[in-house]
Amino acid sequence: MRAIRAAGDCTLTRGQYVDLRTETTIKSLYWKSMVRTTALVATYATLALIAVLDNPGMDPYVSRFEEDYVREDFFHVVALGKETLLLFVLVGLVTSVNDHADAVTSALSEATWGAPGSPGEGVRNDLLHLSTNSSIALGALSASWYDYVATPKLRPISYTILGIRPTKGFMLALLSSFAVSAVVSVVRS
């Protein structure tokens, strides 16, 4: 929030942005592998839940009578639904980080910080470059593949889950897609 306010007030500095990016990266390193693993399990469970709801009678351990399909669907929603909810919670938490980073970029791109060529406008353009472009260290270009992959990259403030950078639009699409899939599956059965 302080970066958005500082960008809107024309007081955000390169050092503040770099410090915020570094702080976000350091805080996320600890739980990034745990979130990745949890998101993978949650995504698998979500897809399995949709597949099971879409194909009534798929479970060989449930009898094939029509009245047992409701009980089967209820069991699968309880068994797999907790991971599905976890996926939505994880995406929702990450969405906040990405939306705030996008708001800083929007604040930088909407307002001018002085006349073209002025020092304030130069600072704004530098911050806009930092908040939108990725870069690598010069030494990584001539390094081996391992060193290239291991070289830290300077990226805008961002957080991904399984390679996807969720925002509120992504979250809305995910929720509506899941809701439509669940409704269609229930109506079909």
Side-chain angles (χ1 to χ4, degrees), residues 117-166:
S118 69
E121 190 63 14
V123 169
R124 184 188 73 86
N125 286 330
D126 182 41
L127 289 169
L128 197 55
H129 175 75
L130 278 176
S131 67
T132 56
N133 294 326
S134 297
S135 60
I136 60 171
L138 290 175
L141 295 176
S142 60
S144 67
W145 280 101
Y146 174 76
D147 290 336
Y148 178 79
V149 171
T151 300
K153 289 138 185 85
L154 298 176
R155 294 191 170 111
I157 297 172
S158 179
Y159 198 86
T160 60
I161 295 181
L162 302 176
I164 298 170
R165 184 182 185 270

Side-chain angles (χ1 to χ4, degrees), residues 88-103:
F88 292 136
V89 168
L90 287 174
V91 170
L93 290 172
V94 171
T95 296
S96 175
V97 173
N98 292 331
D99 284 341
H100 279 83
D102 292 346

Side-chain angles (χ1 to χ4, degrees), residues 33-80:
S33 62
M34 290 181 284
V35 168
R36 185 180 301 129
T37 304
T38 306
L40 190 61
V41 170
T43 302
Y44 174 77
T46 302
L47 295 174
L49 178 62
I50 291 171
V52 167
L53 290 177
D54 197 42
N55 299 304
M58 183 178 175
D59 192 346
Y61 301 108
V62 177
S63 69
R64 297 294 168 237
F65 297 110
E66 193 70 31
E67 61 272 1
D68 289 335
Y69 288 158
V70 173
R71 188 174 39 155
E72 176 190 9
D73 286 347
F74 178 75
F75 170 74
H76 287 117
V77 166
V78 169
L80 299 172

Side-chain angles (χ1 to χ4, degrees), residues 2-21:
R2 65 180 187 247
I4 297 169
R5 201 175 6 238
D9 296 341
C10 305
T11 58
L12 183 65
T13 64
R14 180 184 182 89
Q16 288 172 329
Y17 183 84
V18 170
D19 288 346
L20 185 61
R21 180 180 61 194

